[in-house]
Each structure stands twice: as C-alpha cells, then as structure tokens.
Amino acid sequence: QSWCNSVGAKPALTQGILPGLLAVLGAGRSPPRHPPGDEKTPEKILGYMLHLNADHFQLQAQQPAHLEVSVYTVTNRGVKGLTPGASIHLSLSCPQVQVQPTGGTTQLGASITWNGEPPERPSAPLRVSASAGGSEHANTVQLKMQEDYELVGEVRSFYP
C-alpha cells in the first residue's frame, strides 16, 4: 500500500483534497472509470495517510509539547477516516528528552519534555513510524532545544 504525509490541521474528510491524494497515492495507476465519490465505483483502499499536528517543535526546559499522530485510510472516494488497528511508534535517541507514551494504535497523543540539561546537539529527530494494511511508513519530527540564557552585564567606570 502507498502512504502520504500530512502535517497541520486534521485532514478534512471530504473530497476537497482527493485530487492531490490520488496524484500521490495513485501514481502509475489508471484513473477511476467513474468520478470519485460516484456510488457506482466500488470503494478501494489506495493507501494511508500519516498525519502529524506538527513537523517540528521548539522545546523549552520543563515545558511539555504535545504531538498528535493519526493514521487515516485513503480510498478512491477520499479520506475515509481513522484506520482501526494501525500501529504507531515513536523513537528518540536523545536522553535529555522524554516522550510519553511511545506507542499506540490509530491515534496517539504524546507529551514531549526536555529536562533542561544541555544535549549533545541543539536538535534531535523524533522518528514517527506507523504500520497498517501490511505496509509501513515513517516520518520525522525535528525537536530543537532552546536554552534560556540570562544576559549579565557589568558596567565599570574609570575616573582619572
């Protein structure tokens, strides 16, 4: 099965986005004999959409960010809805950042918290992987740790 990515607001469960999805998921396939949404056309799964509410986060110490991940089924009639039983897994190799929970099905809401300790690098990739219908797909959410620095100045006056 084919996959596509979606970031931002939840995808509309309408045909408004169908032409773009068909172009991505149906590449190399012949067009449907009937217009999309036509009741005479048998519904067929074209693929899945891995939807993220954001593709990057600017983390601040001890202030959690919220990642929402969903898997939708895309048919020749449009986005059908959430894909029951789709598996979602989050993985990160930055020990200064906690992600909870790291797995779920169909939809996942995860809290991402940086403990404030300086990381090796100022950013880290959070891998989001999903599987449905016997196929797998992955995307990356970029996490940037923003340190709050206090500017300390000292004024000295010299008099002759």
Side-chain angles (χ1 to χ4, degrees):
Q1 296 288 340
S2 298
W3 285 80
C4 66
N5 295 316
S6 169
V7 177
K10 291 196 180 205
L13 300 180
T14 65
Q15 291 177 211
I17 61 172
L18 185 57
L21 287 174
L22 288 174
V24 171
L25 296 176
R29 296 183 182 151
S30 56
R33 289 184 298 214
H34 302 284
D38 184 347
E39 295 303 318
K40 295 177 189 174
T41 305
E43 189 170 51
K44 179 181 175 187
I45 294 176
L46 298 177
Y48 302 96
M49 178 189 303
L50 178 58
H51 177 76
L52 309 173
N53 67 324
D55 60 1
H56 67 280
F57 287 99
Q58 188 81 28
L59 300 178
Q60 294 183 355
Q62 306 301 330
Q63 295 183 7
H66 190 71
L67 174 66
E68 293 180 27
V69 182
S70 304
V71 177
Y72 291 91
T73 300
V74 181
T75 71
N76 55 330
R77 295 185 185 169
V79 179
K80 182 175 182 178
L82 293 170
T83 306
S87 175
I88 301 169
H89 182 71
L90 307 177
S91 58
L92 177 68
S93 62
C94 179
Q96 293 84 2
V97 178
Q98 285 283 356
V99 179
Q100 289 295 328
T102 58
T105 57
T106 308
Q107 279 188 300
L108 175 67
S111 178
I112 304 168
T113 308
W114 173 38
N115 66 11
E117 294 177 17
E120 280 186 34
R121 296 186 182 116
S123 65
L126 171 63
R127 181 176 164 85
V128 180
S129 56
S131 62
S135 63
E136 295 181 18
H137 185 67
N139 201 348
T140 302
V141 175
Q142 198 62 33
L143 305 178
K144 293 183 181 180
M145 281 58 84
Q146 178 178 332
E147 295 187 58
D148 291 327
Y149 293 103
E150 182 178 333
L151 182 61
V152 178
E154 184 176 315
V155 177
R156 291 186 182 183
S157 297
F158 296 96
Y159 296 100

